[in-house]
Amino acid sequence: MFGLANFLGFVGQVALLWPCGKYPDEPTVIRSPKRWLSLPQTPSLPWSRGGKYAEINNIQLWYDVFGPPNPHHSPIFFLHGGLGNSDYFGHQVRFFQRKGFKVVTVDSRGHGRSTTDFDIPLGYDLMSEDFVALLDHLHIPKASFVGWSDGAISALNIAAKHPDRVDKVFAFSANYNTSGVMDTTLSPVFMTYINRTISEYGRLSPHADRYDDFLNQIMQMWKGQPNWTEPFFSTINSTNVWIVDGDHEEAVFRSQQDDMAKWLPDAGQLLLPQVSHFAFIQDPDTFNAMLWSLLGQH
């Protein structure tokens, strides 16, 4: 996902990030009157019994389920971005829980509370198959997917390879080729996000002492994936797909969104105002309203 050429240099600079316009008691929160330059706190998920683990593809995949089945709407799966975890969608989970939807959050393999196999290369195909296997585990024949960044890539991957399991897709800030990624080390907001995820990994992960191995796995994935071209999108039922980004996106070139929207002729394309790669916490009200526009329709 991120610009690999500068990523290692960035990791070496992490210790320098703390004083950069942030508050001493909240070292990875950035406040700004310009929403796209802010990084609010990571939300929490609604209270639950702490989630569950499913044994899937030889790992323990953490997930949680909120709300009862809704006879009028498919369950919604929220797929977080690279290095993150399900907590980042806390505002959205609460919104749809109040609307009476069944919502599923899942930490991607190696992320958050989920385990991984460090001997197996990480990849979008592998993560996508984990999510489809979780559908089976939960006896859910079809779901809608809300994906952010790496999660949006996985959502589109599932829509292409398992179209019968997908109702709707809200793909926020996806890239289809590694050449579409900006140099994120130039963004203080993005660098602060990475700094935050290091701390979150240490707090949540069953592999808390293996962050370097995890980072190496994900960097190898980002080095060559995704690598899609127009034919890849031909199997996606684009009628119920939205390609979405923020107008101040700092990680993915907008041409990536434009190309995907062109290759998915029946899809919607949406540009959210005055937000960046972190729109769902920078302006959750607008983000949720747009989600409702797609997912709230029968």
Side-chain angles (χ1 to χ4, degrees):
M1 173 69 227
F2 312 112
L4 265 292
N6 297 300
F7 198 87
L8 281 174
F10 153 73
V11 172
Q13 298 174 43
V14 162
L16 303 178
L17 300 179
W18 298 90
C20 202
K22 293 169 271 300
Y23 289 72
D25 58 329
E26 298 173 319
T28 61
V29 170
I30 302 177
R31 294 190 176 97
S32 172
K34 299 178 180 180
R35 282 191 302 236
W36 63 91
L37 296 179
S38 70
L39 189 69
Q41 288 181 324
T42 306
S44 61
L45 291 171
W47 183 89
S48 74
R49 300 183 185 277
K52 298 180 180 179
Y53 283 93
E55 186 172 349
I56 288 187
N57 297 330
N58 299 315
I59 65 163
Q60 295 293 317
L61 197 68
W62 181 92
Y63 71 95
D64 210 343
V65 180
F66 304 89
N70 185 315
H72 304 295
H73 297 281
S74 298
I76 304 171
F77 270 57
F78 283 91
L79 307 181
H80 62 78
L83 300 178
N85 57 76
S86 294
D87 294 4
Y88 280 86
F89 279 126
H91 297 309
Q92 289 67 49
V93 172
R94 283 185 170 82
F95 177 84
F96 280 98
Q97 187 181 32
R98 290 194 298 267
K99 295 286 188 180
F101 280 65
K102 182 174 183 176
V103 175
V104 180
T105 60
V106 52
D107 286 351
S108 305
R109 68 163 54 215
H111 294 68
R113 307 155 187 87
S114 292
T115 68
T116 193
D117 184 340
F118 289 104
D119 295 325
I120 297 177
L122 194 62
Y124 293 110
D125 285 346
L126 181 58
M127 291 192 292
S128 297
E129 292 307 316
D130 290 343
F131 301 140
V132 173
L134 184 59
L135 285 175
D136 294 337
H137 177 81
L138 296 175
H139 306 290
I140 296 174
K142 180 179 285 192
S144 292
F145 291 87
V146 177
W148 153 47
S149 196
D150 277 6
I153 295 169
S154 290
L156 291 168
N157 199 29
I158 296 169
K161 296 180 177 177
H162 299 277
D164 58 318
R165 308 303 299 271
V166 175
D167 186 6
K168 300 176 181 180
V169 174
F170 190 97
F172 176 70
S173 194
N175 59 295
Y176 66 85
N177 189 281
T178 56
S179 65
V181 178
M182 299 179 185
D183 181 359
T184 54
T185 65
L186 300 177
S187 166
V189 173
F190 218 106
M191 293 175 76
T192 304
Y193 162 72
I194 301 293
N195 198 16
R196 178 186 297 181
T197 63
I198 295 172
S199 173
E200 291 173 340
Y201 184 89
R203 177 170 55 85
L204 297 174
S205 177
H207 308 296
D209 59 342
R210 299 194 66 178
Y211 180 80
D212 288 347
D213 295 326
F214 166 64
L215 183 62
N216 181 64
Q217 268 200 329
I218 205 164
M219 285 177 64
Q220 290 304 312
M221 178 180 75
W222 288 334
K223 191 174 182 179
Q225 299 179 38
N227 188 24
W228 299 334
T229 56
E230 182 176 357
F232 171 86
F233 295 87
S234 63
T235 59
I236 296 177
N237 176 9
S238 60
T239 304
N240 290 324
V241 174
W242 281 17
I243 302 297
V244 187
D245 210 349
D247 62 353
H248 287 78
E249 170 67 52
E250 67 272 75
V252 178
F253 289 111
R254 193 173 300 170
S255 59
Q256 296 277 297
Q257 316 295 319
D258 294 339
D259 288 344
M260 287 188 286
K262 179 177 64 177
W263 298 336
L264 295 167
D266 296 324
Q269 185 175 12
L270 176 65
L271 198 63
L272 298 172
Q274 298 180 311
V275 289
S276 76
H277 200 73
F278 307 97
F280 44 90
I281 55 175
Q282 291 169 337
D283 186 7
D285 289 344
T286 299
F287 197 91
N288 293 348
M290 295 301 98
L291 278 176
W292 180 251
S293 294
L294 175 64
L295 303 179
Q297 307 302 313
H298 291 295

